[in-house]
Amino acid sequence: MVVAAGCLVPNAWLPPLPNDKFLHFACFGALAALALPLAAGRAQGALLLTALLLASWLIECLQQLLPDRTFCWRDMAANAAGIGLAGAVGLLYSLL
């Protein structure tokens, strides 16, 4: 909820951010890391990560409805990178 709310408020409500893309990477990576233990197996984990990626895409699309926000492919790339890194770490951890 916090990540979605942060992504869906007008820019004027947010403090100036030095690196917006790192924030996207860190937030979606953390969400993925928190969600992975809920998965019972690799297939469920992959489905969960895919659902999180879809949710990040939906959030980016919803930003079009806000007056000073737009869809940004670089934000999507940062979201996907965070989710992918958390998924890779989770996979490596499960192999140990």
Side-chain angles (χ1 to χ4, degrees):
M1 291 289 278
V2 173
V3 173
C7 290
L8 293 174
V9 298
N11 273 336
W13 296 7
L14 298 172
L17 300 170
N19 193 341
D20 175 55
K21 304 311 174 240
F22 177 75
L23 189 60
H24 278 267
F25 174 83
C27 287
F28 281 93
L31 284 176
L34 290 172
L36 276 176
L38 300 175
R42 286 190 189 145
Q44 264 193 336
L47 185 61
L48 209 123
L49 293 177
T50 302
L52 188 55
L53 186 61
L54 182 62
S56 76
W57 174 79
L58 179 62
I59 288 170
E60 285 295 318
C61 288
L62 288 173
Q63 286 182 351
Q64 295 288 107
L65 302 175
L66 297 170
D68 60 346
R69 304 289 294 262
T70 59
F71 184 95
C72 178
W73 283 107
R74 290 175 298 195
D75 287 348
M76 272 302 304
N79 297 346
I83 293 167
L85 180 63
V89 169
L91 177 64
L92 288 175
Y93 181 76
S94 72
L95 294 175
L96 296 178

